[in-house]
Amino acid sequence: MSSSPDAAVEVRDVVHTYGTGPAAVTALGPIDLHVPPGTFLVLVGASGCGKTTLLRLIAGFEQPTTGTVTAAGRPPVPGRNAGLVFQQPRLLPWKTVGGNVGLALRYAGVPRPERSSQVTTLLNRVGLPHVAGRRTWQLSGGQQQRVAIARALAVDNPLLLLDEPFAALDALTRERLQEDLRRVSVDTGRTCVFVTHSVDEAVFLGSRVIVLTSRPGRVALDVDVDLPRSGVEPDELRGSPEYAALRATIGHAVRAAAA
Ligand SMILES: Nc1ncnc2c1ncn2[C@@H]1O[C@H](COP(=O)(O)OP(=O)(O)O)[C@@H](O)[C@H]1O
Ligand SMILES: [Mg+2]
């Protein structure tokens, strides 16, 4: 396979093993992934199948034991080539909401005079106008996670990596954030790699869903989600026969992979 400079993410023949000798744990692979720009890729798989490991490899926090990972044709640079969102928002409590997003802009090299207007733009994007001056602990869990997404969007790079970002939220807040993230991904054209346990979340968010096997994680199923990305009401989408069919297919694969 030749190198594909047009890929937002390219994972080639990757195996990742933690530790050495008898204590070695092969967490992932062998796995190959080719992710074109603008894809909303959702990874679904049982706990411990290597989803976080795969995201860490794409973020450049971890080097593959064998094989190669590239983002936009280059080896990933930690903190530079992707914005990250984790299960917990991990905001800095001693800074305001705007201060948290502003700091990310500073690291991204945005000149100080431009930061304040960009903070406003980013907070508007995630549905949080008028909170820049608030303390992070004055916000609800869902609002804090919105700030974490705004902060990840501040990184001047098209790649957004999200590791079970809505798992700790109540069902209603979770649906809201899913709807808004879906819209943000369309509006910004970002390539997203999103990890979840939830089949529903995968079908709703993904333009493509990959189900991983139990450890070591390999591709068990790779499907394109052919649902409209814009101009349709979320309820209409969730109620459509296509949605139900995909949910059944993916749900079946998840259960088979975990067995
Ligand atoms: N730093 C580490 N050292 C040793 N083993 C690890 C480490 N991180 C993860 N693992 C192991 O690798 C496997 C995959 O972990 P992880 O990628 O976190 O899975 P997931 O995110 O799918 O739950 C698990 O069995 C886990 O215990
Ligand atoms: Mg994980």
Side-chain angles (χ1 to χ4, degrees):
M1 199 164 44
S2 65
S3 115
S4 311
D6 60 328
V9 178
E10 185 92 41
V11 172
R12 230 178 302 155
D13 224 5
V14 162
V15 173
H16 195 68
T17 303
Y18 290 104
T20 51
V25 174
T26 296
L28 190 70
I31 188 164
D32 285 283
L33 286 180
H34 173 88
V35 186
T39 304
F40 198 123
L41 174 64
V42 180
L43 301 171
V44 196
S47 211
C49 79
K51 303 181 295 297
T52 296
T53 301
L54 183 51
L55 279 195
R56 291 177 56 81
L57 289 166
I58 297 170
F61 294 157
E62 207 82 62
Q63 296 297 316
T65 310
T66 61
T68 55
V69 176
T70 52
R74 297 176 182 188
V77 180
R80 282 268 168 253
N81 76 276
L84 286 117
V85 184
F86 306 94
Q87 187 169 337
Q88 299 302 330
R90 302 190 186 180
L91 304 175
L92 303 174
W94 59 88
K95 284 198 169 285
T96 60
V97 169
N100 272 272
V101 179
L103 188 62
L105 288 166
R106 189 178 133 197
Y107 280 122
V110 176
R112 182 188 275 273
E114 292 168 31
R115 278 181 223 151
S116 142
S117 76
Q118 287 203 26
V119 165
T120 308
T121 306
L122 287 168
L123 289 173
N124 282 339
R125 227 186 231 309
V126 296
L128 281 183
H130 318 306
V131 301
R134 302 263 283 278
R135 293 285 156 183
T136 59
W137 34 264
Q138 291 174 315
L139 305 184
S140 70
Q143 288 174 321
Q144 289 187 27
Q145 203 55 306
R146 287 174 189 274
V147 177
I149 293 170
R151 182 179 56 184
L153 289 169
V155 178
D156 187 21
N157 188 290
L159 199 53
L160 198 55
L161 307 177
L162 307 105
D163 196 355
E164 306 194 43
F166 305 150
L169 303 174
D170 67 85
L172 213 58
T173 306
R174 186 172 183 159
E175 282 194 0
R176 279 280 165 71
L177 267 89
Q178 288 168 355
E179 288 161 15
D180 288 349
L181 178 63
R182 202 175 195 273
R183 185 180 43 74
V184 166
S185 76
V186 172
D187 290 352
T188 62
R190 296 270 171 150
T191 306
C192 298
V193 184
F194 185 106
V195 164
T196 184
H197 280 109
S198 159
V199 173
D200 256 305
E201 188 162 79
V203 176
F204 183 75
L205 284 174
S207 64
R208 176 181 173 192
V209 176
I210 287 181
V211 177
L212 295 174
T213 62
S214 312
R215 196 183 78 205
R218 300 178 199 187
V219 176
L221 177 77
D222 185 346
V223 282
D224 287 328
V225 176
D226 200 13
L227 294 170
R229 299 298 294 171
S230 60
V232 58
E233 286 300 312
D235 282 346
E236 204 181 312
L237 207 61
R238 289 190 168 101
S240 71
E242 293 86 355
Y243 184 93
L246 278 161
R247 202 175 49 184
T249 306
I250 293 166
H252 180 79
V254 169
R255 283 187 295 278

